[in-house]
Amino acid sequence: MIALSFAEIAAVTGGDLRVAGTDTAQTVADGVVDTDSRNMRAGGIFVAKPGAETDGHRFVGAAVEAGAVLAIVEHVVDAPVSQIVVPDAVAALGALARAVVAKVRAAGDLKIVGITGSNGKTTTKNLLHRVLQEEGETVAPINSYNNEVGAPVTMLRVTESTRYLVSEFGAAGPGSIAHLAGLVEPDVAVVLMVGLAHAGGFGGIEATAKAKAELIAAARPGGTAILNADDPRVWAMREIAHDRGMNVIGFGQGADAEVRASGIQVAADGTRATITVAGESFPLHLQVLGAHHISNALAAIAAARVLGVPAEVAIARIETVEVAERWRMQPMGSDRVRIINDAYNASPDSMAAALRTLAQITGPDERTVAVLGAMSELGDSAGEEHDRIGLLAVRLNIRRIVVVGPEARRLYLAAVGEGSWDSEAVHLPDQEAAFEYLRTELRDGDRVLVKSSNSVGLRHLGDRLGELFS
């Protein structure tokens, strides 16, 4: 973080400063800002966030031992550190992020990109980060730091020398993207897609679309909206962008896409396509598995181009990315038994895309195996969507369908009902049972997809299988 005095931090957070020891109101903090005491370093600010399972106030002492010089708290803690007492620690974190980014922006040439969408945010963020980091200092989220805590923590990593801030915005509910994006007012706003991910928390897909459109409404007037022209709900957001005087760039495969992909071919070593930008065409070999990631690459190329990076340069840098993120279409195992661990998140769209990729990259003498867990946060559509994935797996001729956990039983029943009989589909109660089954069932030539929502935890099963067959 940029250097700020305790008095300045108290002012922007609306808190009551209580100095300790030899500190004064003019003492400066310039280290990391975080809610996790384990991430503290010298000069850092620890934000004591109350939580459902634990309370950050319990860890103020540990944060001080790790180097924190200031704590933002909701009540005074008995610890040898200066403290700013605020009504709401998370709100104070956001207020501090807003002030720091505004100060850096006013003093220099900081450009901010905001990314949202039901799927693909983290992959797009990582591809764009790879492109921009060679242009200048670039701050981007670690993992999926895209909520009311993770997004501000990322924003607070900017310094006077930061040239680009790439922010990823997830939606906990209506208004959450508006709040997070409003902290920084992105110059470039990217909306990837509207799907059923987390639709249960919004009341349906149309409400989800309104939530994603909050990014465009919160972006800087006169900036640029980069929209998926193949998704009608996203493409309709161009009206909001036009009302705000924003330039609109479409990406996709259709005629409305200014940044367009054609000739997509999926193979075990990645996905190839021809990328056309402003009438010029370039070949792309994306090492990240799956045709669905071509759309994410297009969004990154479009955003980079707005920021002055030529398309051919962006493509060359994107081609060096081997894995988008841990547990996202991550190749593991060996040529003998290849594991694709894609169990960090799952929605109906991403589940279907991953199954299609598995079918596309498996040769005629190899066997497809799908290890599937539940998709969470689908609300009233959960049963129907699990049925749909079970049917799709059979219609894609996935040879072994291994369904894990009671919440995914409907997926198994749908597969059986569609014709996956004679042990082609099995239902197992938990990860341990699945591991024991798979360690003897898998054989040379198998191509295995492990896919579930994060809460199910099948990513750990994927790690175990990857190690077993490495």
Side-chain angles (χ1 to χ4, degrees):
M1 189 187 79
I2 61 174
L4 292 176
S5 71
F6 290 1
E8 289 175 304
I9 297 168
V12 299
T13 58
D16 179 19
L17 175 62
R18 311 287 183 89
V19 295
T22 60
D23 290 345
T24 71
Q26 298 310 311
T27 301
V28 168
D30 61 358
V32 298
V33 183
D34 211 304
T35 61
D36 190 333
S37 61
R38 295 168 295 185
N39 294 334
M40 279 296 102
R41 300 291 184 270
I45 302 172
F46 178 66
V47 181
K49 180 182 78 70
E53 297 181 2
T54 188
D55 187 342
H57 294 81
R58 296 175 50 201
F59 300 96
V60 172
V64 174
E65 291 180 3
V69 297
L70 179 66
I72 296 176
V73 297
E74 294 184 4
H75 58 79
V76 174
V77 176
D78 183 13
V81 65
S82 293
Q83 301 172 40
I84 295 175
V85 184
V86 298
D88 185 323
V90 174
L93 176 66
L96 182 59
R98 183 197 301 272
V100 166
V101 171
K103 189 168 185 176
V104 172
R105 196 180 218 166
D109 191 31
L110 176 67
K111 296 297 181 183
I112 300 172
V113 181
I115 301 171
T116 195
S118 297
N119 298 114
K121 295 183 293 297
T122 299
T123 298
T124 304
K125 171 261 297 184
N126 286 338
L127 294 177
L128 184 57
H129 183 203
R130 173 65 188 88
V131 175
L132 295 179
Q133 65 184 1
E134 293 193 32
E135 300 295 313
E137 182 181 302
T138 303
V139 170
I142 301 168
N143 300 321
S144 291
Y145 273 30
N146 60 23
N147 62 11
E148 63 178 357
V149 172
V153 164
T154 299
M155 296 167 187
L156 285 163
R157 288 168 45 209
V158 302
T159 67
E160 291 88 350
S161 59
T162 303
R163 186 171 177 187
Y164 304 106
L165 168 63
V166 181
S167 287
E168 176 184 339
F169 301 125
S176 59
I177 292 177
H179 166 67
L180 294 175
L183 298 177
V184 293
E185 295 186 338
D187 302 284
V188 181
V190 181
V191 184
L192 301 170
M193 66 171 296
V194 173
L196 283 170
H198 315 298
F202 293 91
I205 195 165
E206 296 303 331
T208 302
K210 289 182 180 179
K212 303 305 180 186
E214 291 172 7
L215 173 57
I216 307 302
R220 176 165 280 201
T224 301
I226 296 177
L227 304 176
N228 185 345
D230 295 341
D231 186 324
R233 292 182 178 87
V234 176
W235 194 230
M237 296 176 195
R238 67 190 186 278
E239 300 302 327
I240 302 172
H242 288 148
D243 289 344
R244 295 178 59 78
M246 300 177 71
N247 183 37
V248 174
I249 296 175
F251 66 90
Q253 298 179 52
D256 288 326
E258 183 176 332
V259 180
R260 188 169 63 254
S262 59
I264 299 175
Q265 297 178 325
V266 180
D269 66 344
T271 307
R272 289 171 172 81
T274 297
I275 308 301
T276 301
V277 182
E280 284 192 87
S281 295
F282 311 93
L284 167 68
H285 176 202
L286 183 65
Q287 295 188 68
V288 181
L289 292 175
H292 52 297
H293 288 306
I294 290 293
S295 181
N296 301 329
L298 291 174
I301 292 164
R305 187 165 175 263
V306 170
L307 296 172
V309 182
E312 61 270 32
V313 174
I315 289 169
R317 293 172 185 172
I318 285 172
E319 287 184 325
T320 67
V321 178
E322 297 180 2
V323 179
E325 186 83 40
R326 186 181 181 190
W327 300 318
R328 287 178 169 85
M329 298 301 287
Q330 181 181 1
M332 306 179 77
S334 63
D335 289 340
R336 185 168 66 89
V337 177
R338 176 64 65 194
I339 310 295
I340 303 171
N341 193 349
D342 192 34
Y344 188 83
N345 270 322
S347 68
D349 295 311
S350 68
M351 186 78 85
L355 284 169
R356 291 191 182 99
T357 298
L358 176 66
Q360 289 168 330
I361 68 172
T362 303
D365 298 326
E366 300 169 340
R367 184 175 67 157
T368 50
V369 180
V371 183
L372 307 176
M375 300 175 287
S376 61
E377 301 182 54
L378 295 179
D380 293 339
S381 64
E384 178 183 344
E385 292 302 324
H386 282 88
D387 290 346
R388 188 170 71 86
I389 295 302
L391 297 177
L392 178 64
V394 176
R395 291 168 183 172
L396 288 171
N397 197 30
I398 304 301
R399 302 295 298 278
R400 283 287 184 273
I401 302 170
V402 181
V403 181
V404 184
E407 298 86 355
R409 183 170 175 78
R410 277 193 63 164
L411 194 160
Y412 163 74
L413 294 174
V416 171
E418 185 66 9
S420 188
W421 306 325
D422 192 26
S423 300
E424 290 177 352
V426 298
H427 181 244
L428 299 166
D430 53 38
Q431 286 192 51
E432 195 58 42
F435 180 75
E436 290 302 319
Y437 171 80
L438 291 163
R439 67 193 297 269
T440 57
E441 170 66 20
L442 296 181
R443 65 194 190 204
D444 287 3
D446 282 351
R447 299 297 177 254
V448 186
L449 170 70
V450 183
K451 182 73 172 170
S452 75
S453 282
N454 190 26
S455 59
V456 179
L458 290 196
R459 63 193 183 281
H460 304 302
L461 173 62
D463 285 345
R464 293 178 70 188
L465 293 172
E467 183 177 352
L468 179 66
F469 292 103
S470 62

